[in-house]
Amino acid sequence: MTLMMREEYIESLRAMTKRVFIMGQEVENVVDHPLVRPSLNACAMTYALAQMPGDGDLARATSNLTGQQVNRFTHLHQDPSDLVTKVKMQRRLGQMTGCCFQRCVGMDALNALDSVTCEMDEASGTEYHARFRRYLQYVQERDLVADGAMTDPKGDRRLSPSQQADPDLYVRIVDRRPDGIVVRGAKLHQTGALNAHEIIVMPTRALSEQDQDYAVAFAVPADAPGIVMIYGRQPSDTRKLEGSQIDVGNRQFGGHEAVIILDDVFVPWERVFMAGESAFSGLLVERFAGYHRQSYGGCKVGVGDVLIGAAQALACYQGTDRASHIRDKIVEMIHLNETLYACGIACSAEGTPASSGTYLIDLLLANVCKLNVTRFPYEIARLAQDIAGGLMVTMPSEKDLAHPEVGPYLAKYLRSVDRYTTEDRCRMLRLVENLTLGPGAAAYLTESMHGAGSPQAQRIMLARLADLEEKVRLAQKLAGIKEQAPDA
Ligand code: SF4
Ligand code: FE
């Protein structure tokens, strides 16, 4: 099997024995839990898309390892067109779900590990790359969801991992055995962890030789002994427990993040892809972050399409769609959203091959993409709220809308343009609320800020990657000034 059906994916998760805690309770049946199910529905769309005619082409690729058709989320990018198609697929899935569909972190981890393990072997004579490719073939043939786990708790940010008062604040090797390693630590903000088959752990920062035990990358089944997941809350999440159809805003889909505890987890050598090569830790972080910064030029744009559509629909429902300032605001939202997409496409089209043959994005442009993502969705959300109006946050519940006594009052007094129903208006207002204030805002806004690195991380990369000296030379030449190196 190289392409799993949506239903098979859901059943495959049922067969796993993950340890999961949600709001203080250990949960046996994670798959059907009402707080988790919307995120599972979203991740399952990565399987459903691959089965669709037309757009399904975006989610299918031919494996360079086996020649078989695989889901693009397990594929190594073979040329710039693979990178471009990845972004288009992410935009399409963002449009279909209106949320984070979670599977990109695994795709980005797999692609980053492919080139870095190859370069480690070239430099150090290790044998990680062949091992990693055997693992990747295992993932491709089973069409698995992998969680790409990078962010450590980090403790006191002034101190390196080994200087921390508690040495477990970064994931580390606590034992090396003939058959494998034992690891301990935690990963925070783990997108889609509960919906994953595999957890791929990577270091979170560049490391020095003193921190060798923290230079560790590996893959484990998500239900391996010693792994505990603790579900993260989101704004208004308990509306999902009310059986709500309207108040949740997005009826079917949502994302999730979790804390993953690694409590002395054993990893056989066959699944270890870095164990002590501290010099390559920073490169792995840079590659993974680069791919994920590209990813946001697709997924956030797709969610932006939904939000722009919701704002336009509300303008029509409320009779403001012909006002020039509303039209202008919609155009502004489109401009911002398409700028993000342009960056996602540009860093893909300018991709170049690594020595493993897998294509890398243009790192400078991917960082520009992500730095824009830290800002533009906030402005798009602000404009959507401006167009939606205050009713979005003062509107009574759907139970009031359905109430025999007060429901008719609301149907009468919340009606706007006559040809649209009050319920349609309320549903659309709740969708904007979801995306800009509710659980959807966790992904569309806060994750846009901090996911794949906070804005300062991108600024550091821009300062490093832009060839300022060359720009000075260009200016000197045109100004007729003899070429001289600028002060450092
Ligand atoms: Fe994919 Fe976007 Fe979610 Fe990251 S935030 S996993 S890129 S959908
Ligand atoms: Fe993310």
Side-chain angles (χ1 to χ4, degrees), residues 38 97-100 234-237 239-240 244-255 303 306-307 310 314 381 384-385 388 392-393 395 426-446:
T97 62
C99 69
C100 165
Q234 292 173 336
S236 309
D237 51 6
R239 289 190 196 182
K240 296 183 185 122
S244 150
Q245 290 295 304
I246 298 176
D247 290 353
V248 283
N250 187 340
R251 281 185 315 129
Q252 288 184 67
F253 301 113
V303 178
V306 174
L307 186 53
L314 277 173
Q385 289 191 353
M392 183 183 84
V393 291
M395 186 170 51
C426 293
R427 280 181 183 274
M428 202 56 82
L429 285 164
R430 289 294 185 208
L431 179 58
V432 175
E433 183 194 34
N434 173 297
L435 291 173
T436 64
L437 292 169
Y444 187 59
L445 299 180
T446 313

Side-chain angles (χ1 to χ4, degrees), residues 181-322:
I181 56 174
V182 177
V183 295
R184 187 187 304 155
K187 293 289 184 183
L188 308 187
H189 323 300
Q190 286 314 299
T191 295
L194 277 60
N195 298 326
H197 302 103
E198 293 278 314
I199 310 291
I200 300 175
V201 171
M202 297 161 286
T204 203
R205 50 173 282 179
L207 296 166
S208 65
E209 273 187 37
Q210 288 78 46
D211 291 322
Q212 272 183 2
D213 286 343
Y214 296 88
V216 59
F218 57 87
V220 278
D223 57 356
I227 294 185
V228 178
M229 299 181 182
I230 310 165
Y231 191 80
R233 293 210 69 168
Q234 292 173 336
S236 309
D237 51 6
T238 47
R239 289 190 196 182
K240 296 183 185 122
L241 302 176
E242 297 169 5
S244 150
Q245 290 295 304
I246 298 176
D247 290 353
V248 283
N250 187 340
R251 281 185 315 129
Q252 288 184 67
F253 301 113
H256 82 248
E257 269 76 28
V259 174
I260 298 181
I261 307 295
L262 300 155
D263 189 5
D264 290 359
V265 175
F266 172 70
V267 189
W269 283 115
E270 198 51 29
R271 283 168 161 263
V272 177
F273 312 125
M274 176 185 282
E277 290 77 10
S278 51
F280 286 87
S281 168
L283 184 66
L284 183 53
V285 174
E286 182 180 292
R287 293 267 164 92
F288 172 75
Y291 281 128
H292 211 56
R293 289 169 194 177
Q294 168 210 25
S295 288
Y296 283 17
C299 79
K300 304 299 180 202
V301 180
V303 178
D305 287 326
V306 174
L307 186 53
I308 294 167
Q312 173 67 19
L314 277 173
C316 294
Y317 297 172
Q318 295 172 167
T320 57
D321 55 310
R322 302 233 171 108

Side-chain angles (χ1 to χ4, degrees), residues 1-158:
M1 174 208 340
T2 53
L3 283 178
M4 200 156 28
M5 306 290 281
R6 177 188 178 280
E7 293 71 23
E8 290 173 321
Y9 161 60
I10 292 170
E11 288 313 304
S12 71
L13 288 185
R14 238 182 250 292
M16 297 190 79
T17 53
K18 291 184 194 128
R19 291 205 65 200
V20 174
F21 287 77
I22 300 177
M23 293 173 74
Q25 306 239 298
E26 183 158 11
V27 174
E28 293 270 318
N29 180 359
V30 178
V31 168
D32 297 313
H33 195 288
L35 282 180
V36 183
R37 190 58 188 239
S39 70
L40 175 54
N41 291 339
C43 196
M45 288 304 284
T46 66
Y47 291 92
L49 179 62
Q51 299 291 338
M52 290 177 188
D55 281 352
D57 286 343
L58 297 173
R60 294 188 294 266
T62 302
S63 168
N64 61 308
L65 304 185
T66 62
Q68 299 291 309
Q69 195 171 63
V70 294
N71 192 298
R72 185 169 297 284
F73 282 94
T74 68
H75 180 57
L76 295 176
H77 314 302
Q78 294 302 296
D79 53 33
S81 89
D82 265 345
L83 290 163
V84 168
T85 307
K86 171 194 169 188
V87 172
K88 290 185 175 180
M89 170 184 74
Q90 289 167 314
R91 183 171 189 170
R92 188 73 194 98
L93 283 164
Q95 292 170 340
M96 292 164 84
T97 62
C99 69
C100 165
F101 37 88
Q102 308 141 54
R103 205 174 170 186
C104 326
V105 277
M107 168 174 53
D108 293 341
L110 292 170
N111 275 273
L113 275 166
D114 187 71
S115 61
V116 173
T117 51
C118 184
E119 286 161 47
M120 267 195 297
D121 289 357
E122 285 164 1
S124 326
T126 46
E127 293 176 353
Y128 290 120
H129 188 58
R131 188 186 282 178
F132 169 74
R133 288 225 164 164
R134 281 194 293 278
Y135 171 72
L136 176 62
Q137 192 170 331
Y138 168 88
V139 170
Q140 286 187 342
E141 286 173 348
R142 288 160 186 77
D143 200 3
L144 301 178
V145 171
D147 170 37
M150 180 159 277
T151 311
D152 291 278
K154 301 196 196 90
D156 183 339
R157 306 300 204 266
R158 296 169 301 180

